[in-house]
Amino acid sequence: MSDIISVNNLSKSYGSHQVLSNVSFNFEGGQIIGLLGPNGSGKTSLIKILTGLIHDYSGQVLIDGDEPGVITKAKVAYLPEKTYLADWMRSVDAINFMADFYKDFDKEKAFKMLDSFQLPPKQKIKTMSKGMQEKLQLLLVMCRNAKLYVLDEPLGGVDPAARAFILDTIMKNHPEGSTVLISTHLIYDVERIFNSVLMIGRGQVLVKSRVEDITGAGKTIEDLFKEVFGYAWQVN
């Protein structure tokens, strides 16, 4: 299978602060990939580059063979960490908006999931709880028939029961052969679903490995993460 993500010599700075430094990696399609690293490691900047939200970088980035832009946005479903839906929208408005915007959006599936998620179709988003808003955003992303799903901290700020629900939704609803990239701090909750991991620290790739190679060495992903990023909690 060809590479769904290919990154070569990628660097990104904000003024004098460099957040990504000469980063290179690639992943074949059809995997669930964990993007791991402490706060400030460059994960969010990398995600925004992959999803075409940041363009001022050096190096080469290809998504399914194309540079991030209009073409790749039709192939990539992105779940940002923060709520992006307008307060005035209702669930039904958000579904109709996505159906108008993306040709690959399955509107019928979305309304079925809305019912199974117990989300009222005509309740305004501004009156929903944080958990309800997160369910709706996850629904909107997973009802696309995308090649690549990029999920930025989908488990952040939710309780263990909600985490299990979110993981179950992701596993059941991404199309066969598609790729899922999940950025998360909650490794223990998610590591069972990963095929590969990419660990980024201080703007560089520190680990790129298949999970079977990590577990074959007698470690868990969380064990390796603690070894690699022990410096992040050290006090000088």
Side-chain angles (χ1 to χ4, degrees), residues 6 13 42 53 60 68 72 85 88 101 107 112 115 182 196 221 223 236:
S6 178
S13 297
L53 297 177
Q60 183 188 58
T72 63
L85 298 170
W88 62 264
F101 206 79
K107 192 172 178 178
K112 287 180 179 177
D115 184 57
I182 303 177
S196 297
I221 299 172
D223 291 336
N236 293 329

Side-chain angles (χ1 to χ4, degrees), residues 2-5 50-52 62-78 101-105 141 144-150 174-175 177-181:
S2 60
D3 291 340
I4 186 69
I5 303 172
L50 296 178
T51 54
L62 299 176
I63 303 296
D64 197 32
D66 295 303
E67 293 183 357
V70 175
I71 294 175
T72 63
K73 285 180 180 179
K75 304 177 185 181
V76 178
Y78 171 45
F101 206 79
Y102 293 105
K103 292 181 179 179
D104 65 359
F105 186 79
V141 169
R144 287 199 46 207
N145 186 26
K147 278 197 168 186
L148 173 63
Y149 296 82
V150 179
H174 76 92
S178 65
T179 302
V180 182
L181 177 71

Side-chain angles (χ1 to χ4, degrees), residues 86-220:
D87 285 348
W88 62 264
M89 282 185 170
R90 304 165 299 171
S91 297
V92 64
D93 299 320
I95 288 173
N96 287 332
F97 174 79
M98 292 291 285
D100 288 342
F101 206 79
Y102 293 105
K103 292 181 179 179
D104 65 359
F105 186 79
D106 189 335
K107 192 172 178 178
E108 182 179 351
K109 178 181 176 182
F111 278 110
K112 287 180 179 177
M113 287 180 70
L114 197 69
D115 184 57
S116 67
F117 285 12
Q118 297 182 333
L119 293 173
K122 294 186 178 180
Q123 181 176 353
K124 287 190 176 181
I125 289 169
K126 67 180 179 182
T127 67
M128 292 181 177
S129 67
K130 186 174 184 290
M132 293 172 72
Q133 291 180 16
E134 289 177 344
K135 280 184 177 182
L136 179 59
Q137 290 192 139
L138 180 66
L139 175 159
L140 295 174
V141 169
M142 300 314 299
C143 283
R144 287 199 46 207
N145 186 26
K147 278 197 168 186
L148 173 63
Y149 296 82
V150 179
L151 314 179
D152 191 3
E153 295 290 346
L155 306 179
V158 298
D159 59 56
R163 290 172 203 163
F165 173 86
I166 289 169
L167 289 178
D168 188 55
T169 300
I170 293 168
M171 294 301 292
K172 288 182 177 178
N173 289 282
H174 76 92
E176 185 177 354
S178 65
T179 302
V180 182
L181 177 71
I182 303 177
S183 170
T184 183
H185 290 94
L186 300 169
I187 301 168
Y188 178 79
D189 296 87
V190 222
E191 63 177 308
R192 62 184 172 81
I193 73 170
F194 292 151
N195 304 118
S196 297
V197 294
L198 181 72
M199 297 187 186
I200 293 182
R202 293 172 175 165
Q204 298 183 323
V205 173
L206 302 181
V207 173
K208 178 187 178 290
S209 177
R210 292 191 62 82
V211 169
E212 61 187 25
D213 295 329
I214 297 171
T215 55
K219 298 179 181 179
T220 66

